[in-house]
PDB file of all heavy atoms in Angstrom:
ATOM      1  N   SER A 344     109.207  88.693 107.796  1.00  0.00           N
ATOM      2  CA  SER A 344     108.186  88.853 106.734  1.00  0.00           C
ATOM      3  C   SER A 344     108.606  90.022 105.871  1.00  0.00           C
ATOM      4  O   SER A 344     108.348  90.012 104.746  1.00  0.00           O
ATOM      5  CB  SER A 344     106.766  88.981 107.254  1.00  0.00           C
ATOM      6  OG  SER A 344     106.700  90.163 108.195  1.00  0.00           O
ATOM      7  N   ASN A 345     109.066  91.205 106.508  1.00  0.00           N
ATOM      8  CA  ASN A 345     109.571  92.315 105.718  1.00  0.00           C
ATOM      9  C   ASN A 345     110.665  92.031 104.765  1.00  0.00           C
ATOM     10  O   ASN A 345     110.596  92.379 103.613  1.00  0.00           O
ATOM     11  CB  ASN A 345     109.969  93.530 106.582  1.00  0.00           C
ATOM     12  CG  ASN A 345     108.912  94.339 107.157  1.00  0.00           C
ATOM     13  OD1 ASN A 345     107.697  94.135 106.787  1.00  0.00           O
ATOM     14  ND2 ASN A 345     109.240  95.352 107.910  1.00  0.00           N
ATOM     15  N   ALA A 346     111.625  91.156 105.257  1.00  0.00           N
ATOM     16  CA  ALA A 346     112.831  90.853 104.445  1.00  0.00           C
ATOM     17  C   ALA A 346     112.350  89.983 103.301  1.00  0.00           C
ATOM     18  O   ALA A 346     112.968  90.151 102.178  1.00  0.00           O
ATOM     19  CB  ALA A 346     113.925  90.220 105.334  1.00  0.00           C
ATOM     20  N   MET A 347     111.467  89.049 103.550  1.00  0.00           N
ATOM     21  CA  MET A 347     111.008  88.162 102.409  1.00  0.00           C
ATOM     22  C   MET A 347     110.234  88.961 101.432  1.00  0.00           C
ATOM     23  O   MET A 347     110.562  88.760 100.207  1.00  0.00           O
ATOM     24  CB  MET A 347     110.100  87.091 103.009  1.00  0.00           C
ATOM     25  CG  MET A 347     109.437  86.112 101.984  1.00  0.00           C
ATOM     26  SD  MET A 347     110.795  85.082 101.289  1.00  0.00           S
ATOM     27  CE  MET A 347     110.591  83.540 102.287  1.00  0.00           C
ATOM     28  N   ALA A 348     109.463  89.897 101.819  1.00  0.00           N
ATOM     29  CA  ALA A 348     108.793  90.788 100.907  1.00  0.00           C
ATOM     30  C   ALA A 348     109.765  91.584 100.012  1.00  0.00           C
ATOM     31  O   ALA A 348     109.670  91.677  98.815  1.00  0.00           O
ATOM     32  CB  ALA A 348     107.813  91.673 101.586  1.00  0.00           C
ATOM     33  N   VAL A 349     110.830  92.129 100.644  1.00  0.00           N
ATOM     34  CA  VAL A 349     111.865  92.905  99.981  1.00  0.00           C
ATOM     35  C   VAL A 349     112.639  92.133  99.107  1.00  0.00           C
ATOM     36  O   VAL A 349     112.817  92.496  97.938  1.00  0.00           O
ATOM     37  CB  VAL A 349     112.730  93.665 101.016  1.00  0.00           C
ATOM     38  CG1 VAL A 349     114.084  94.133 100.399  1.00  0.00           C
ATOM     39  CG2 VAL A 349     112.057  94.846 101.705  1.00  0.00           C
ATOM     40  N   ALA A 350     113.001  90.835  99.412  1.00  0.00           N
ATOM     41  CA  ALA A 350     113.863  89.974  98.608  1.00  0.00           C
ATOM     42  C   ALA A 350     113.074  89.569  97.379  1.00  0.00           C
ATOM     43  O   ALA A 350     113.636  89.655  96.315  1.00  0.00           O
ATOM     44  CB  ALA A 350     114.150  88.743  99.408  1.00  0.00           C
ATOM     45  N   GLN A 351     111.741  89.230  97.542  1.00  0.00           N
ATOM     46  CA  GLN A 351     110.964  88.859  96.343  1.00  0.00           C
ATOM     47  C   GLN A 351     110.741  89.988  95.508  1.00  0.00           C
ATOM     48  O   GLN A 351     110.865  89.824  94.209  1.00  0.00           O
ATOM     49  CB  GLN A 351     109.638  88.327  96.857  1.00  0.00           C
ATOM     50  CG  GLN A 351     109.689  86.875  97.566  1.00  0.00           C
ATOM     51  CD  GLN A 351     108.421  86.419  98.159  1.00  0.00           C
ATOM     52  OE1 GLN A 351     107.602  87.191  98.561  1.00  0.00           O
ATOM     53  NE2 GLN A 351     108.352  85.089  98.312  1.00  0.00           N
ATOM     54  N   TRP A 352     110.611  91.191  95.962  1.00  0.00           N
ATOM     55  CA  TRP A 352     110.447  92.342  95.212  1.00  0.00           C
ATOM     56  C   TRP A 352     111.656  92.628  94.411  1.00  0.00           C
ATOM     57  O   TRP A 352     111.640  92.870  93.236  1.00  0.00           O
ATOM     58  CB  TRP A 352     109.952  93.534  95.926  1.00  0.00           C
ATOM     59  CG  TRP A 352     109.666  94.800  95.148  1.00  0.00           C
ATOM     60  CD1 TRP A 352     108.547  95.082  94.501  1.00  0.00           C
ATOM     61  CD2 TRP A 352     110.721  95.833  94.807  1.00  0.00           C
ATOM     62  NE1 TRP A 352     108.705  96.324  93.782  1.00  0.00           N
ATOM     63  CE2 TRP A 352     110.030  96.739  94.037  1.00  0.00           C
ATOM     64  CE3 TRP A 352     111.970  96.051  95.161  1.00  0.00           C
ATOM     65  CZ2 TRP A 352     110.664  97.828  93.495  1.00  0.00           C
ATOM     66  CZ3 TRP A 352     112.665  97.156  94.703  1.00  0.00           C
ATOM     67  CH2 TRP A 352     111.967  98.056  93.836  1.00  0.00           C
ATOM     68  N   LEU A 353     112.883  92.685  95.024  1.00  0.00           N
ATOM     69  CA  LEU A 353     114.117  92.939  94.327  1.00  0.00           C
ATOM     70  C   LEU A 353     114.370  91.904  93.323  1.00  0.00           C
ATOM     71  O   LEU A 353     114.892  92.197  92.286  1.00  0.00           O
ATOM     72  CB  LEU A 353     115.322  92.883  95.500  1.00  0.00           C
ATOM     73  CG  LEU A 353     115.408  94.129  96.365  1.00  0.00           C
ATOM     74  CD1 LEU A 353     116.442  93.725  97.503  1.00  0.00           C
ATOM     75  CD2 LEU A 353     115.795  95.334  95.666  1.00  0.00           C
ATOM     76  N   GLU A 354     113.956  90.666  93.517  1.00  0.00           N
ATOM     77  CA  GLU A 354     114.257  89.536  92.541  1.00  0.00           C
ATOM     78  C   GLU A 354     113.653  89.764  91.306  1.00  0.00           C
ATOM     79  O   GLU A 354     114.056  89.297  90.215  1.00  0.00           O
ATOM     80  CB  GLU A 354     113.943  88.251  93.185  1.00  0.00           C
ATOM     81  CG  GLU A 354     114.684  87.052  92.514  1.00  0.00           C
ATOM     82  CD  GLU A 354     114.545  85.780  93.305  1.00  0.00           C
ATOM     83  OE1 GLU A 354     113.577  85.376  93.655  1.00  0.00           O
ATOM     84  OE2 GLU A 354     115.646  85.048  93.437  1.00  0.00           O
ATOM     85  N   SER A 355     112.496  90.513  91.289  1.00  0.00           N
ATOM     86  CA  SER A 355     111.789  90.712  90.055  1.00  0.00           C
ATOM     87  C   SER A 355     112.104  92.121  89.458  1.00  0.00           C
ATOM     88  O   SER A 355     111.526  92.514  88.393  1.00  0.00           O
ATOM     89  CB  SER A 355     110.270  90.726  90.399  1.00  0.00           C
ATOM     90  OG  SER A 355     109.932  91.850  91.116  1.00  0.00           O
ATOM     91  N   HIS A 356     113.108  92.757  89.984  1.00  0.00           N
ATOM     92  CA  HIS A 356     113.449  94.116  89.506  1.00  0.00           C
ATOM     93  C   HIS A 356     114.470  94.109  88.390  1.00  0.00           C
ATOM     94  O   HIS A 356     115.463  93.318  88.482  1.00  0.00           O
ATOM     95  CB  HIS A 356     113.959  95.090  90.678  1.00  0.00           C
ATOM     96  CG  HIS A 356     113.915  96.484  90.253  1.00  0.00           C
ATOM     97  ND1 HIS A 356     114.944  97.074  89.457  1.00  0.00           N
ATOM     98  CD2 HIS A 356     113.105  97.469  90.621  1.00  0.00           C
ATOM     99  CE1 HIS A 356     114.698  98.372  89.291  1.00  0.00           C
ATOM    100  NE2 HIS A 356     113.572  98.581  90.036  1.00  0.00           N
ATOM    101  N   GLY A 357     114.255  94.770  87.273  1.00  0.00           N
ATOM    102  CA  GLY A 357     115.047  94.725  86.102  1.00  0.00           C
ATOM    103  C   GLY A 357     116.569  95.207  86.320  1.00  0.00           C
ATOM    104  O   GLY A 357     117.379  94.837  85.589  1.00  0.00           O
ATOM    105  N   HIS A 358     116.820  96.099  87.217  1.00  0.00           N
ATOM    106  CA  HIS A 358     118.119  96.602  87.511  1.00  0.00           C
ATOM    107  C   HIS A 358     118.915  95.731  88.497  1.00  0.00           C
ATOM    108  O   HIS A 358     120.030  96.012  88.829  1.00  0.00           O
ATOM    109  CB  HIS A 358     118.101  98.035  88.026  1.00  0.00           C
ATOM    110  CG  HIS A 358     117.516  99.060  87.008  1.00  0.00           C
ATOM    111  ND1 HIS A 358     117.260 100.381  87.340  1.00  0.00           N
ATOM    112  CD2 HIS A 358     117.165  98.835  85.793  1.00  0.00           C
ATOM    113  CE1 HIS A 358     116.696 100.879  86.264  1.00  0.00           C
ATOM    114  NE2 HIS A 358     116.789 100.080  85.274  1.00  0.00           N
ATOM    115  N   VAL A 359     118.320  94.707  88.988  1.00  0.00           N
ATOM    116  CA  VAL A 359     119.035  93.839  89.947  1.00  0.00           C
ATOM    117  C   VAL A 359     119.300  92.497  89.217  1.00  0.00           C
ATOM    118  O   VAL A 359     118.514  91.820  88.724  1.00  0.00           O
ATOM    119  CB  VAL A 359     118.016  93.599  91.255  1.00  0.00           C
ATOM    120  CG1 VAL A 359     118.699  92.498  92.137  1.00  0.00           C
ATOM    121  CG2 VAL A 359     117.800  94.872  91.871  1.00  0.00           C
ATOM    122  N   SER A 360     120.651  92.066  89.412  1.00  0.00           N
ATOM    123  CA  SER A 360     121.082  90.886  88.723  1.00  0.00           C
ATOM    124  C   SER A 360     120.899  89.594  89.676  1.00  0.00           C
ATOM    125  O   SER A 360     120.652  88.535  89.237  1.00  0.00           O
ATOM    126  CB  SER A 360     122.518  91.055  88.323  1.00  0.00           C
ATOM    127  OG  SER A 360     123.293  91.499  89.279  1.00  0.00           O
ATOM    128  N   ARG A 361     121.172  89.916  91.051  1.00  0.00           N
ATOM    129  CA  ARG A 361     121.086  88.709  91.933  1.00  0.00           C
ATOM    130  C   ARG A 361     120.528  89.238  93.264  1.00  0.00           C
ATOM    131  O   ARG A 361     120.894  90.325  93.705  1.00  0.00           O
ATOM    132  CB  ARG A 361     122.402  88.004  92.115  1.00  0.00           C
ATOM    133  CG  ARG A 361     122.888  87.223  90.924  1.00  0.00           C
ATOM    134  CD  ARG A 361     124.130  86.272  91.455  1.00  0.00           C
ATOM    135  NE  ARG A 361     125.280  87.204  91.538  1.00  0.00           N
ATOM    136  CZ  ARG A 361     126.510  86.721  92.033  1.00  0.00           C
ATOM    137  NH1 ARG A 361     126.606  85.494  92.311  1.00  0.00           N
ATOM    138  NH2 ARG A 361     127.474  87.518  92.206  1.00  0.00           N
ATOM    139  N   VAL A 362     119.819  88.350  93.919  1.00  0.00           N
ATOM    140  CA  VAL A 362     119.392  88.678  95.324  1.00  0.00           C
ATOM    141  C   VAL A 362     119.760  87.375  96.141  1.00  0.00           C
ATOM    142  O   VAL A 362     119.518  86.360  95.865  1.00  0.00           O
ATOM    143  CB  VAL A 362     117.835  88.780  95.400  1.00  0.00           C
ATOM    144  CG1 VAL A 362     117.462  89.116  96.774  1.00  0.00           C
ATOM    145  CG2 VAL A 362     117.465  90.000  94.495  1.00  0.00           C
ATOM    146  N   PHE A 363     120.333  87.757  97.274  1.00  0.00           N
ATOM    147  CA  PHE A 363     120.866  86.670  98.234  1.00  0.00           C
ATOM    148  C   PHE A 363     119.921  86.775  99.490  1.00  0.00           C
ATOM    149  O   PHE A 363     120.001  87.735 100.332  1.00  0.00           O
ATOM    150  CB  PHE A 363     122.333  86.862  98.635  1.00  0.00           C
ATOM    151  CG  PHE A 363     123.216  86.821  97.428  1.00  0.00           C
ATOM    152  CD1 PHE A 363     123.470  88.016  96.693  1.00  0.00           C
ATOM    153  CD2 PHE A 363     123.807  85.605  97.099  1.00  0.00           C
ATOM    154  CE1 PHE A 363     124.341  87.910  95.633  1.00  0.00           C
ATOM    155  CE2 PHE A 363     124.817  85.635  96.018  1.00  0.00           C
ATOM    156  CZ  PHE A 363     124.968  86.664  95.237  1.00  0.00           C
TER     157      PHE A 363
END
Side-chain angles (χ1 to χ4, degrees):
S344 63
N345 273 2
M347 180 65 101
V349 162
Q351 286 171 339
W352 182 85
L353 285 170
E354 201 165 43
S355 68
H356 196 283
H358 293 171
V359 173
S360 45
R361 284 191 292 174
V362 180
F363 299 86

